Amino acid sequence: MTRTPRSPRRALLAAAGAAALALPLLAAPTEAVGSAPPPPAPRTGFEISDGARWTTEAEETDFLAALDRGSPRLTVRTVATTAQGRPLRLATVGTGPTTVLLICSQHGDEPSGREACLTTLRDLAQARDHTTRAFLARTTVLVVPTANPDGREANTRGNSDGVDINRDHLALRTAEARALAALVRDRRPELIYDLHEYGATPHYYDKDLLTLWPRNLNTDPRVHDESHTLSEAYVRPAAGRAGHDSGIYGIWTDPVTGKPVKQVAGDGQERILRNTAGIKHAVGLLVETREDAREPDEHSDPALSHRRRVATQRAALQGAFAYLDEHGGRLLAATARARHTGFADRGPILLGGADNDPAEPTEILHDPPCAYRLTDAQYGEVGDELDLHGVVVRHEGDGVLVPLRQSQRALVALLLDPRAAYGITRGEPVERC
């Protein structure tokens, strides 16, 4: 049989991918002289098969249990149960003041982020080097390895009810999105990092990695700028150093000039996690790896494509962790200031638009009300969702008053204003409080 010659670029990527899959995320672990050797590191099904198949649910369960037993710095707990009875797990490693939340495989047919999250957890939990220990003293890493367990089992984008979880971060109709909202409310991460995959359009939209920050116009400018810095100065360059090309998610580019020619995705919808993150005053980033085979050798051997996809995710995570190391102080300051801005109750609220698409005049609340009033019946229908979002309410007479003077000021309007595109109920605007 005639074999297709491997291109120089593919040979480089194969070498870089093997290195990214083989090495710990931050630095090689070191052992003190005379110390006992560490126990054998657990391996995922993906690693055992050398990328020929994805890790099964049972293998993930065993892998996380082994990590939990073997490392005092890592804990695993179940935070929700899906409609089909599968656990939604949260793994925690590190004790630092800066918190990052990794959401892996919201779409069940996009598995590379999940594999990268699982091996990253192991590398952080079992590393013995000073660099990683210092990083974990400054950082708390929260990981949801499989954010859509039913979809992952069925290899479907949506959950078992066919709902796209990444369009449910406002209405919170799914058990999966509700669990993530509660996690964001209770742990208040400064950075939310969302791992996905995408289908390529050759020549115009076919990079190994695409990224995008919160485009919603209600994102605090400081949070928006930090999200942009994370993407453009850290995550994409880290992928490039590992041999992977990158671009902006949702933007087609001319293959000759490299200039944008068309936007096909990536607006400011508040119900998408990267935008919800920005509205809730966390730096957010969507990362997408190309799921299609790139060259003939990947078509003939899918394991090569699988390994490239996971290696790209891991390289991007290297960049995110470097950002946390170098920008931790700025990140904490930006999110803290953003979380207090709403209490001033000043300025317009935007019901549409994006950072590259100005809101229409009808989408601008130039002089927002001071609150929205809900009837008891309305509150009975949406009270749980408001609580999961961390929205503060005040019971008054036969109804509930939801003031805008609170940390999540813009979110209140996006949830309750009669003109909001994805609101959960139509509140009555109150002009005087």
Side-chain angles (χ1 to χ4, degrees), residues 49-357:
S49 69
D50 198 24
R53 61 176 179 80
W54 305 108
T55 301
T56 67
E57 180 187 0
E59 287 172 331
E60 176 186 319
T61 298
D62 292 344
F63 179 85
L64 292 174
L67 288 183
D68 202 0
R69 290 192 304 269
S71 174
R73 70 173 75 134
L74 180 139
T75 59
V76 180
R77 65 184 179 93
T78 296
V79 294
T81 302
T82 68
Q84 294 184 342
R86 293 186 176 87
L88 197 76
R89 299 184 181 96
L90 170 69
T92 304
V93 59
T95 56
T98 305
T99 301
V100 56
L101 171 61
L102 309 184
I103 304 296
C104 319
S105 295
Q106 278 198 83
H107 294 148
D109 57 354
E110 300 171 7
S112 72
R114 171 179 179 251
E115 301 293 346
C117 285
L118 289 171
T119 53
T120 293
L121 271 173
R122 179 195 59 216
D123 296 344
L124 292 175
Q126 298 195 340
R128 298 157 71 93
D129 62 285
H130 173 75
T131 302
T132 305
R133 288 174 179 267
F135 173 78
L136 294 175
R138 295 187 295 269
T139 314
T140 297
V141 182
L142 308 175
V143 182
V144 179
T146 308
N148 181 4
D150 293 347
R152 175 79 287 276
E153 183 69 15
N155 195 35
T156 57
R157 178 180 176 89
N159 67 1
S160 59
D161 293 321
V163 178
D164 185 339
I165 297 167
N166 203 29
R167 300 298 183 273
D168 189 39
H169 292 290
L170 216 66
L172 304 182
R173 295 187 179 94
T174 63
E176 297 88 349
R178 294 173 75 86
L180 297 179
L183 185 56
V184 171
R185 177 197 62 193
D186 297 341
R187 300 303 298 266
R188 294 168 60 87
E190 283 76 30
L191 169 59
I192 299 175
Y193 187 96
D194 189 21
L195 294 81
H196 287 261
E197 298 192 77
Y198 80 102
T201 301
H203 308 305
Y204 291 95
Y205 196 55
D206 59 357
K207 307 297 187 185
D208 288 332
L209 178 77
L210 300 176
T211 65
L212 192 60
W213 49 90
R215 286 200 183 275
N216 189 281
L217 292 172
N218 296 291
T219 303
D220 183 275
R222 291 159 293 206
V223 169
H224 175 276
D225 291 350
E226 286 298 319
S227 301
H228 188 271
T229 296
L230 168 65
S231 170
E232 301 302 283
Y234 286 88
V235 169
R236 289 182 59 194
R241 288 190 295 272
H244 307 288
D245 53 8
S246 67
I248 303 298
Y249 178 74
I251 304 295
W252 282 17
T253 56
D254 186 286
V256 177
T257 66
K259 293 182 179 179
V261 296
K262 183 180 181 181
Q263 181 166 336
V264 295
D267 62 9
Q269 282 187 35
E270 55 267 29
R271 61 183 183 161
I272 299 172
L273 181 59
R274 62 179 165 80
N275 286 319
T276 307
I279 295 165
K280 291 184 175 181
H281 315 308
V283 165
L285 193 68
L286 169 77
V287 292
E288 303 250 1
T289 53
R290 173 185 167 136
E291 64 184 5
D292 313 77
R294 287 208 65 145
E295 296 187 24
D297 56 351
E298 288 193 357
H299 285 281
S300 61
D301 184 1
L304 290 174
S305 174
H306 297 168
R307 293 199 297 269
R308 184 254 309 160
R309 289 152 63 181
V310 176
T312 306
Q313 294 278 14
R314 284 179 58 90
L317 274 170
Q318 289 269 9
F321 285 9
Y323 166 85
L324 288 165
D325 244 2
E326 298 176 19
H327 276 242
R330 286 177 52 174
L331 173 62
L332 286 169
T335 53
R337 287 195 295 266
R339 288 166 179 171
H340 283 89
T341 298
F343 291 101
D345 196 16
R346 291 194 301 265
I349 294 174
L350 292 307
L351 301 179
D355 66 357
N356 62 345
D357 179 24

